[in-house]
Amino acid sequence: MDNREKILDVSLDLFYDKGYDAVSVQEIAEQAGITKPTLYYYFGSKYGLLEALLADGFDKLFRQLNPAMHSGDNDIRNTLFNVAKAFLNFAMTERSFFFFMLSLMYSARGNDPYLAVKPHLYKLYRSITELFSNAGGQLGNMNGRQETFAMGFLGFLNQYAFTFSEKHHEEDHVTDEEVHALIQQFMYGIVT
């Protein structure tokens, strides 16, 4: 593992455990076994480190989501299943990143961590909105509700990932049956 990867791994662990604001550059350097100038060489600043960490993490997420979103299957239910499975398996295998990302999503709007994660979250939201826009023919007249569906679906997935990880600490994936049940719930609500 090179210094850049080591710094990213150590910083993710520290940010996940303590929060971005509570971790100093000195602490990251000590834990990574490097000097502060080495960290600055790779990232320029603590904020630059955060931006690199988020870029790497969201790249991994989109490498899993993109094939699911563009599987060529014209059935929205199957597409949502594939997206949910990819998203939830990412959340389980990359727990530290996923929950750190969620913490940033709910942080104060004017602070550096929120400003760093915001463009990535909007990219994710736009991708899911586009998924619902493209499925308009299957879902009937959406009347401009694509954004609402995207918000609901992402919120559903985030809450499920949180709850699942709390109940199943040792597991690093969700089963097809669990994902099918989740999509059934999202598509049809509690009535059916």
Side-chain angles (χ1 to χ4, degrees):
M1 178 183 306
D2 67 10
N3 280 339
R4 184 182 187 281
E5 287 180 49
K6 185 186 286 187
I7 295 166
L8 287 169
D9 286 349
V10 165
S11 64
L12 177 58
D13 289 343
L14 290 169
F15 293 161
Y16 173 70
D17 286 340
K18 299 180 177 187
Y20 174 81
D21 292 327
V23 177
S24 69
V25 170
Q26 182 65 39
E27 186 175 8
I28 295 167
E30 287 173 4
Q31 291 283 327
I34 53 119
T35 63
K36 287 184 356 183
T38 301
L39 185 144
Y40 293 129
Y41 169 78
Y42 285 106
F43 303 104
S45 65
K46 182 180 167 186
Y47 185 75
L49 170 59
L50 175 63
E51 288 180 314
L53 183 67
L54 291 171
D56 285 358
F58 275 96
D59 283 348
K60 285 180 189 175
L61 174 60
F62 276 102
R63 278 197 305 271
Q64 292 185 31
L65 285 182
N66 282 335
M69 287 193 277
H70 301 76
S71 63
D73 186 345
N74 289 327
D75 183 337
I76 186 62
R77 187 178 173 86
N78 290 339
T79 302
L80 290 177
F81 170 84
N82 292 333
V83 168
K85 186 169 183 179
F87 186 90
L88 294 170
N89 285 334
F90 174 84
M92 296 304 103
T93 58
E94 303 290 337
R95 285 180 201 227
S96 295
F97 176 80
F98 182 78
F99 289 109
F100 175 60
M101 177 267 302
L102 280 184
S103 73
L104 299 182
M105 187 167 85
Y106 292 107
S107 63
R109 296 300 183 244
N111 72 9
D112 285 345
Y114 176 75
L115 297 174
V117 78
K118 182 179 176 180
H120 300 286
L121 293 173
Y122 274 117
K123 180 181 176 185
L124 176 60
Y125 169 68
R126 284 190 308 271
S127 296
I128 301 298
T129 300
E130 182 180 323
L131 182 112
F132 284 106
S133 293
N134 293 339
Q138 295 175 56
L139 298 172
N141 185 354
M142 296 191 68
N143 293 323
R145 295 178 295 165
Q146 299 89 332
E147 292 181 354
T148 304
F149 278 98
M151 283 185 274
F153 189 60
L154 284 169
F156 212 59
L157 294 178
N158 286 335
Q159 185 60 46
Y160 189 85
F162 171 76
T163 304
F164 184 87
S165 77
E166 289 295 308
K167 288 182 178 179
H168 307 282
H169 296 290
E170 304 303 317
E171 296 181 41
D172 64 356
H173 70 282
V174 294
T175 66
D176 286 355
E177 294 78 23
E178 291 165 322
V179 178
H180 278 297
L182 179 70
I183 297 305
Q184 176 75 16
Q185 183 72 35
F186 179 76
M187 294 292 290
Y188 301 106
I190 60 173
V191 176
T192 59

